[in-house]
PDB file of all heavy atoms in Angstrom:
ATOM      1  N   ALA A  81      12.090  -3.259 -20.036  1.00 97.00           N
ATOM      2  CA  ALA A  81      11.522  -4.106 -19.024  1.00 97.00           C
ATOM      3  C   ALA A  81      12.321  -5.305 -18.723  1.00 97.00           C
ATOM      4  O   ALA A  81      12.973  -5.855 -19.680  1.00 97.00           O
ATOM      5  CB  ALA A  81      10.140  -4.489 -19.522  1.00 97.00           C
ATOM      6  N   HIS A  82      12.301  -5.750 -17.471  1.00 96.00           N
ATOM      7  CA  HIS A  82      13.054  -6.940 -17.064  1.00 96.00           C
ATOM      8  C   HIS A  82      11.975  -7.907 -16.525  1.00 96.00           C
ATOM      9  O   HIS A  82      10.939  -7.516 -16.025  1.00 96.00           O
ATOM     10  CB  HIS A  82      14.053  -6.519 -15.949  1.00 96.00           C
ATOM     11  CG  HIS A  82      15.009  -7.695 -15.727  1.00 96.00           C
ATOM     12  ND1 HIS A  82      14.696  -8.649 -14.723  1.00 96.00           N
ATOM     13  CD2 HIS A  82      16.208  -7.963 -16.172  1.00 96.00           C
ATOM     14  CE1 HIS A  82      15.732  -9.426 -14.602  1.00 96.00           C
ATOM     15  NE2 HIS A  82      16.653  -9.059 -15.570  1.00 96.00           N
ATOM     16  N   MET A  83      12.318  -9.226 -16.623  1.00 96.00           N
ATOM     17  CA  MET A  83      11.290 -10.185 -16.133  1.00 96.00           C
ATOM     18  C   MET A  83      10.969  -9.970 -14.698  1.00 96.00           C
ATOM     19  O   MET A  83       9.803 -10.192 -14.287  1.00 96.00           O
ATOM     20  CB  MET A  83      11.924 -11.618 -16.308  1.00 96.00           C
ATOM     21  CG  MET A  83      12.093 -12.045 -17.725  1.00 96.00           C
ATOM     22  SD  MET A  83      10.597 -12.064 -18.689  1.00 96.00           S
ATOM     23  CE  MET A  83       9.745 -13.427 -17.918  1.00 96.00           C
ATOM     24  N   SER A  84      11.889  -9.455 -13.905  1.00 95.00           N
ATOM     25  CA  SER A  84      11.562  -9.276 -12.472  1.00 95.00           C
ATOM     26  C   SER A  84      10.699  -8.085 -12.261  1.00 95.00           C
ATOM     27  O   SER A  84      10.259  -7.860 -11.029  1.00 95.00           O
ATOM     28  CB  SER A  84      12.902  -9.017 -11.767  1.00 95.00           C
ATOM     29  OG  SER A  84      13.597  -7.843 -12.217  1.00 95.00           O
ATOM     30  N   ASP A  85      10.334  -7.320 -13.267  1.00 97.00           N
ATOM     31  CA  ASP A  85       9.425  -6.206 -13.121  1.00 97.00           C
ATOM     32  C   ASP A  85       7.970  -6.642 -13.104  1.00 97.00           C
ATOM     33  O   ASP A  85       7.061  -5.917 -12.769  1.00 97.00           O
ATOM     34  CB  ASP A  85       9.499  -5.206 -14.221  1.00 97.00           C
ATOM     35  CG  ASP A  85      10.910  -4.503 -14.237  1.00 97.00           C
ATOM     36  OD1 ASP A  85      11.441  -4.240 -13.122  1.00 97.00           O
ATOM     37  OD2 ASP A  85      11.461  -4.237 -15.300  1.00 97.00           O
ATOM     38  N   ALA A  86       7.715  -7.961 -13.392  1.00 97.00           N
ATOM     39  CA  ALA A  86       6.358  -8.448 -13.371  1.00 97.00           C
ATOM     40  C   ALA A  86       5.794  -8.376 -11.951  1.00 97.00           C
ATOM     41  O   ALA A  86       6.321  -8.968 -11.038  1.00 97.00           O
ATOM     42  CB  ALA A  86       6.364  -9.867 -13.913  1.00 97.00           C
ATOM     43  N   ALA A  87       4.725  -7.621 -11.826  1.00 96.00           N
ATOM     44  CA  ALA A  87       4.154  -7.319 -10.591  1.00 96.00           C
ATOM     45  C   ALA A  87       2.865  -6.466 -10.611  1.00 96.00           C
ATOM     46  O   ALA A  87       2.489  -6.154 -11.737  1.00 96.00           O
ATOM     47  CB  ALA A  87       5.191  -6.668  -9.563  1.00 96.00           C
ATOM     48  N   GLU A  88       2.338  -6.148  -9.578  1.00 95.00           N
ATOM     49  CA  GLU A  88       1.211  -5.153  -9.497  1.00 95.00           C
ATOM     50  C   GLU A  88       1.667  -3.877  -9.040  1.00 95.00           C
ATOM     51  O   GLU A  88       2.562  -3.742  -8.184  1.00 95.00           O
ATOM     52  CB  GLU A  88       0.193  -5.738  -8.436  1.00 95.00           C
ATOM     53  CG  GLU A  88      -1.172  -5.048  -8.527  1.00 95.00           C
ATOM     54  CD  GLU A  88      -2.088  -5.557  -9.624  1.00 95.00           C
ATOM     55  OE1 GLU A  88      -1.764  -6.661 -10.104  1.00 95.00           O
ATOM     56  OE2 GLU A  88      -3.100  -4.922  -9.944  1.00 95.00           O
ATOM     57  N   TYR A  89       1.263  -2.783  -9.745  1.00 97.00           N
ATOM     58  CA  TYR A  89       1.699  -1.447  -9.525  1.00 97.00           C
ATOM     59  C   TYR A  89       0.560  -0.541  -9.143  1.00 97.00           C
ATOM     60  O   TYR A  89      -0.499  -0.589  -9.706  1.00 97.00           O
ATOM     61  CB  TYR A  89       2.442  -0.886 -10.723  1.00 97.00           C
ATOM     62  CG  TYR A  89       3.661  -1.590 -11.081  1.00 97.00           C
ATOM     63  CD1 TYR A  89       3.710  -2.824 -11.657  1.00 97.00           C
ATOM     64  CD2 TYR A  89       4.896  -1.023 -10.746  1.00 97.00           C
ATOM     65  CE1 TYR A  89       4.922  -3.478 -11.947  1.00 97.00           C
ATOM     66  CE2 TYR A  89       6.123  -1.626 -10.943  1.00 97.00           C
ATOM     67  CZ  TYR A  89       6.146  -2.840 -11.587  1.00 97.00           C
ATOM     68  OH  TYR A  89       7.338  -3.500 -11.825  1.00 97.00           O
ATOM     69  N   PHE A  90       0.741   0.153  -8.031  1.00 95.00           N
ATOM     70  CA  PHE A  90      -0.300   1.050  -7.494  1.00 95.00           C
ATOM     71  C   PHE A  90       0.183   2.504  -7.522  1.00 95.00           C
ATOM     72  O   PHE A  90       1.245   2.842  -7.073  1.00 95.00           O
ATOM     73  CB  PHE A  90      -0.696   0.676  -6.090  1.00 95.00           C
ATOM     74  CG  PHE A  90      -1.290  -0.629  -5.909  1.00 95.00           C
ATOM     75  CD1 PHE A  90      -0.567  -1.688  -5.544  1.00 95.00           C
ATOM     76  CD2 PHE A  90      -2.699  -0.777  -6.145  1.00 95.00           C
ATOM     77  CE1 PHE A  90      -1.166  -2.990  -5.388  1.00 95.00           C
ATOM     78  CE2 PHE A  90      -3.256  -2.069  -6.029  1.00 95.00           C
ATOM     79  CZ  PHE A  90      -2.525  -3.131  -5.638  1.00 95.00           C
ATOM     80  N   CYS A  91      -0.695   3.320  -8.152  1.00 96.00           N
ATOM     81  CA  CYS A  91      -0.561   4.772  -8.083  1.00 96.00           C
ATOM     82  C   CYS A  91      -1.309   5.311  -6.918  1.00 96.00           C
ATOM     83  O   CYS A  91      -2.490   4.924  -6.679  1.00 96.00           O
ATOM     84  CB  CYS A  91      -0.984   5.415  -9.365  1.00 96.00           C
ATOM     85  SG  CYS A  91      -0.836   7.169  -9.533  1.00 96.00           S
ATOM     86  N   VAL A  92      -0.757   6.114  -6.082  1.00 92.00           N
ATOM     87  CA  VAL A  92      -1.315   6.623  -4.859  1.00 92.00           C
ATOM     88  C   VAL A  92      -1.174   8.208  -4.806  1.00 92.00           C
ATOM     89  O   VAL A  92      -0.107   8.718  -5.041  1.00 92.00           O
ATOM     90  CB  VAL A  92      -0.670   5.970  -3.612  1.00 92.00           C
ATOM     91  CG1 VAL A  92      -1.309   6.450  -2.343  1.00 92.00           C
ATOM     92  CG2 VAL A  92      -0.635   4.486  -3.764  1.00 92.00           C
ATOM     93  N   VAL A  93      -2.239   8.800  -4.294  1.00 88.00           N
ATOM     94  CA  VAL A  93      -2.200  10.296  -4.138  1.00 88.00           C
ATOM     95  C   VAL A  93      -2.420  10.583  -2.692  1.00 88.00           C
ATOM     96  O   VAL A  93      -3.266   9.918  -2.024  1.00 88.00           O
ATOM     97  CB  VAL A  93      -3.239  11.002  -5.024  1.00 88.00           C
ATOM     98  CG1 VAL A  93      -4.633  10.547  -4.764  1.00 88.00           C
ATOM     99  CG2 VAL A  93      -3.046  12.522  -4.907  1.00 88.00           C
ATOM    100  N   SER A  94      -1.737  11.554  -2.163  1.00 82.00           N
ATOM    101  CA  SER A  94      -1.922  11.959  -0.758  1.00 82.00           C
ATOM    102  C   SER A  94      -2.048  13.441  -0.640  1.00 82.00           C
ATOM    103  O   SER A  94      -1.328  14.202  -1.406  1.00 82.00           O
ATOM    104  CB  SER A  94      -0.645  11.565   0.061  1.00 82.00           C
ATOM    105  OG  SER A  94      -0.706  12.065   1.350  1.00 82.00           O
ATOM    106  N   ASN A  95      -2.977  13.895   0.130  1.00 67.00           N
ATOM    107  CA  ASN A  95      -3.103  15.373   0.288  1.00 67.00           C
ATOM    108  C   ASN A  95      -2.020  15.887   1.154  1.00 67.00           C
ATOM    109  O   ASN A  95      -1.298  15.180   1.891  1.00 67.00           O
ATOM    110  CB  ASN A  95      -4.503  15.781   0.828  1.00 67.00           C
ATOM    111  CG  ASN A  95      -4.679  15.470   2.277  1.00 67.00           C
ATOM    112  OD1 ASN A  95      -3.731  15.620   3.105  1.00 67.00           O
ATOM    113  ND2 ASN A  95      -5.892  15.211   2.659  1.00 67.00           N
ATOM    114  N   PRO A  96      -1.744  17.199   1.166  1.00 58.00           N
ATOM    115  CA  PRO A  96      -0.595  17.733   1.874  1.00 58.00           C
ATOM    116  C   PRO A  96      -0.595  17.466   3.329  1.00 58.00           C
ATOM    117  O   PRO A  96       0.474  17.438   3.921  1.00 58.00           O
ATOM    118  CB  PRO A  96      -0.721  19.282   1.572  1.00 58.00           C
ATOM    119  CG  PRO A  96      -1.511  19.353   0.417  1.00 58.00           C
ATOM    120  CD  PRO A  96      -2.455  18.206   0.463  1.00 58.00           C
ATOM    121  N   GLY A  97      -1.770  17.211   3.901  1.00 54.00           N
ATOM    122  CA  GLY A  97      -1.841  16.939   5.358  1.00 54.00           C
ATOM    123  C   GLY A  97      -1.293  15.576   5.675  1.00 54.00           C
ATOM    124  O   GLY A  97      -1.056  15.201   6.804  1.00 54.00           O
ATOM    125  N   GLY A  98      -1.159  14.679   4.656  1.00 50.00           N
ATOM    126  CA  GLY A  98      -0.693  13.352   4.921  1.00 50.00           C
ATOM    127  C   GLY A  98      -1.746  12.588   5.648  1.00 50.00           C
ATOM    128  O   GLY A  98      -2.926  12.930   5.784  1.00 50.00           O
ATOM    129  N   GLY A  99      -1.345  11.456   6.234  1.00 48.00           N
ATOM    130  CA  GLY A  99      -2.211  10.646   7.000  1.00 48.00           C
ATOM    131  C   GLY A  99      -3.017   9.801   6.138  1.00 48.00           C
ATOM    132  O   GLY A  99      -3.240  10.020   4.868  1.00 48.00           O
ATOM    133  N   ALA A 100      -3.640   8.766   6.653  1.00 49.00           N
ATOM    134  CA  ALA A 100      -4.349   7.721   5.855  1.00 49.00           C
ATOM    135  C   ALA A 100      -5.602   8.390   5.243  1.00 49.00           C
ATOM    136  O   ALA A 100      -6.029   7.991   4.178  1.00 49.00           O
ATOM    137  CB  ALA A 100      -4.714   6.575   6.683  1.00 49.00           C
ATOM    138  N   ASP A 101      -6.240   9.367   5.969  1.00 52.00           N
ATOM    139  CA  ASP A 101      -7.545   9.836   5.377  1.00 52.00           C
ATOM    140  C   ASP A 101      -7.200  10.672   4.189  1.00 52.00           C
ATOM    141  O   ASP A 101      -8.057  11.095   3.498  1.00 52.00           O
ATOM    142  CB  ASP A 101      -8.312  10.662   6.424  1.00 52.00           C
ATOM    143  CG  ASP A 101      -7.423  11.743   7.092  1.00 52.00           C
ATOM    144  OD1 ASP A 101      -6.212  11.720   6.883  1.00 52.00           O
ATOM    145  OD2 ASP A 101      -7.989  12.597   7.739  1.00 52.00           O
ATOM    146  N   GLY A 102      -5.982  10.971   3.948  1.00 57.00           N
ATOM    147  CA  GLY A 102      -5.610  11.764   2.745  1.00 57.00           C
ATOM    148  C   GLY A 102      -4.923  10.914   1.627  1.00 57.00           C
ATOM    149  O   GLY A 102      -4.478  11.366   0.688  1.00 57.00           O
ATOM    150  N   LEU A 103      -4.942   9.593   1.860  1.00 74.00           N
ATOM    151  CA  LEU A 103      -4.280   8.703   0.972  1.00 74.00           C
ATOM    152  C   LEU A 103      -5.285   7.890   0.133  1.00 74.00           C
ATOM    153  O   LEU A 103      -6.262   7.304   0.673  1.00 74.00           O
ATOM    154  CB  LEU A 103      -3.514   7.654   1.818  1.00 74.00           C
ATOM    155  CG  LEU A 103      -2.239   6.946   1.170  1.00 74.00           C
ATOM    156  CD1 LEU A 103      -1.204   8.001   0.749  1.00 74.00           C
ATOM    157  CD2 LEU A 103      -1.702   5.941   2.082  1.00 74.00           C
ATOM    158  N   THR A 104      -5.155   8.049  -1.175  1.00 84.00           N
ATOM    159  CA  THR A 104      -6.081   7.294  -2.066  1.00 84.00           C
ATOM    160  C   THR A 104      -5.324   6.416  -3.028  1.00 84.00           C
ATOM    161  O   THR A 104      -4.379   6.868  -3.713  1.00 84.00           O
ATOM    162  CB  THR A 104      -6.899   8.395  -2.865  1.00 84.00           C
ATOM    163  OG1 THR A 104      -7.607   9.214  -1.985  1.00 84.00           O
ATOM    164  CG2 THR A 104      -7.975   7.695  -3.806  1.00 84.00           C
TER     165      THR A 104
END
Side-chain angles (χ1 to χ4, degrees):
Chain A
H82 192 271
M83 294 300 291
S84 61
D85 295 327
E88 193 80 16
Y89 291 79
F90 293 98
C91 180
V92 182
V93 61
S94 172
N95 76 31
D101 55 346
L103 204 64
T104 303

